[in-house]
Amino acid sequence: MVGSALVPFLTTSGHEAVRVPRGGFAVAEGCDGVVHLAGENIAGRWTPAKKRKIHESRKRGTQTLCDALAPMAKRPRVLVCASAIGIYGDRGEEWITEESETGRGFLADVCRDWEAATESAARAGVRVVNLRIGVVLSPRGGALGKTLLPFKLGVGGVVGDGRQYWSWIEIDDLVAVILHALTDERLRGPVNAVAPNPVTNREYTKTLGRVLRRPTMLPLPAFVARLAFGEMADAVLLAGARVQPKRLQAAGYRFRFPQLEGALRHLLGK
C-alpha cells in the first residue's frame, strides 16, 4: 500500500524511483537513497508460525539489505527504513516522543530488532532514519480500508472500551514524510511518522461515522476481539500509544492533514 503510493509521488516530484527486487540489492549502488518498507502483514491471528514470519521478515530482510549496502563503493547516502509505533507498547494517555522509553511485548521486541538490523549501514556511514509509522489511513488498505465497509453499512463501532489511542497518519502525508526524511540531513535515527493530533478509538469511530453520515452503534467488545484474533487483539486492537512527531516538526515538516476529520474527508471525497 505505502510503496504503491510512494513511487508515483517520488516520480511526480522529479525523482527517479527504482523498485529493488528481493536479493537484487546491487541496483542500489550509486543511488542517492533507499527506502525499505517490506515486512509480513501483522493482521490476523498470531500463530507461532505467523509470529516467526512477522519477526524474521523484518529483522532478516533489513539485515540482509544493510549488509549489502555497507561494503558498496558508492553506497547510498541515506536509508529510510520502516519501523512502527508498536515499539512503544501500550502506553495509555502518556504522551510519547522519540526520546520515550520503548515498551514491552511481541511488537516492541520486533521493532527493536528491526531497528537494530540497520546498524551495519549506519556504521558504514549511511544516514539511517528509522521511521516509526503509526496507523496509516488509506481507503486502499490498512485500518481505514478494512473498516470502511462495515461503517458504510452502519455496523461500525468502538473496539473494546474505545479509550485506546490511535496515532494515525494520512497516506499522502506519509509518502511526503518519507521524501522529507530522504532529503533532510537533520533527520537520523528514530522518527515518529504520525499526525500531531492522535485520537482515541472512540473519537476515531465517531469521526468516521460523522464523515460517512452513518450510525456507529455496534461496538466490538474486547472479549469478542480476543476470541477472534487472540494475542493480536490485545497487542494491536485494544492497545494504544499517544505519539507525537517531535523530530519531524523540529525539522520543519508541515502536515497536510493534521486533523483526523480533514484527513478522512479528503480520502473519502466527503
Side-chain angles (χ1 to χ4, degrees), residues 6-269:
L6 178 62
V7 171
F9 176 78
L10 291 176
T11 54
T12 55
S13 299
H15 303 277
E16 182 182 359
V18 178
R19 291 183 182 270
V20 179
R22 292 190 178 186
F25 302 135
V27 301
E29 186 159 12
C31 292
D32 292 324
V34 173
V35 179
H36 182 52
L37 301 170
E40 173 76 11
N41 195 322
I42 67 170
R45 181 174 284 273
W46 289 353
T47 63
K50 174 75 169 179
K51 290 174 74 172
R52 282 195 298 272
K53 286 183 179 180
I54 290 171
H55 184 268
E56 293 304 312
S57 65
R58 287 161 172 79
K59 179 182 177 181
R60 287 191 179 181
T62 302
Q63 185 73 65
T64 300
L65 169 63
C66 291
D67 288 349
L69 297 180
M72 289 180 178
K74 295 182 179 179
R75 67 181 69 91
R77 293 197 297 268
V78 56
L79 166 65
V80 177
C81 185
S83 181
I85 60 170
I87 198 167
Y88 299 117
D90 186 11
R91 303 292 277 269
E93 296 189 354
E94 176 188 357
W95 280 105
I96 303 294
T97 70
E98 292 88 351
E99 286 75 36
S100 300
E101 292 184 0
T102 58
R104 300 176 181 176
F106 171 67
L107 285 183
D109 291 342
V110 168
C111 291
R112 275 190 291 269
D113 287 347
W114 197 0
E115 294 185 6
T118 63
E119 290 176 0
S120 59
R123 286 195 301 268
V126 178
R127 178 173 63 88
V128 174
V129 180
N130 304 108
L131 212 56
R132 294 176 175 175
I133 301 171
V135 178
V136 180
L137 297 184
S138 168
R140 297 184 178 181
L144 178 59
K146 289 182 174 65
T147 59
L148 201 50
L149 180 59
F151 272 83
K152 284 181 175 179
L153 295 174
V155 294
V158 299
V159 179
D161 62 17
R163 292 185 294 182
Q164 66 274 31
Y165 270 90
W166 283 20
S167 295
W168 58 276
I169 185 167
E170 197 266 357
I171 184 68
D172 294 332
D173 259 321
L174 179 55
V175 296
V177 163
I178 291 172
L179 178 57
H180 197 88
L182 285 167
T183 57
D184 192 327
E185 295 190 359
R186 291 173 293 180
L187 293 174
R188 68 174 63 238
V191 173
N192 292 335
V194 294
N197 296 290
V199 297
T200 64
N201 173 258
R202 184 171 297 277
E203 291 171 312
Y204 172 86
T205 299
K206 288 182 177 180
T207 304
L208 182 54
R210 183 166 61 248
V211 169
L212 294 172
R213 297 184 178 181
R214 302 299 294 165
T216 56
M217 303 296 292
L218 292 176
L220 177 65
F223 79 91
V224 175
R226 292 185 179 109
L227 284 173
F229 300 107
E231 181 184 355
M232 193 275 279
D234 282 304
V236 178
L237 301 178
L238 302 171
R242 197 181 189 188
V243 182
Q244 281 282 290
K246 181 178 178 182
R247 291 186 178 173
L248 270 179
Q249 290 180 310
Y253 181 77
R254 298 186 66 179
F255 283 85
R256 291 154 173 78
F257 300 99
Q259 301 290 343
L260 177 64
E261 184 160 343
L264 290 175
R265 290 193 181 279
H266 167 73
L267 289 169
L268 301 177

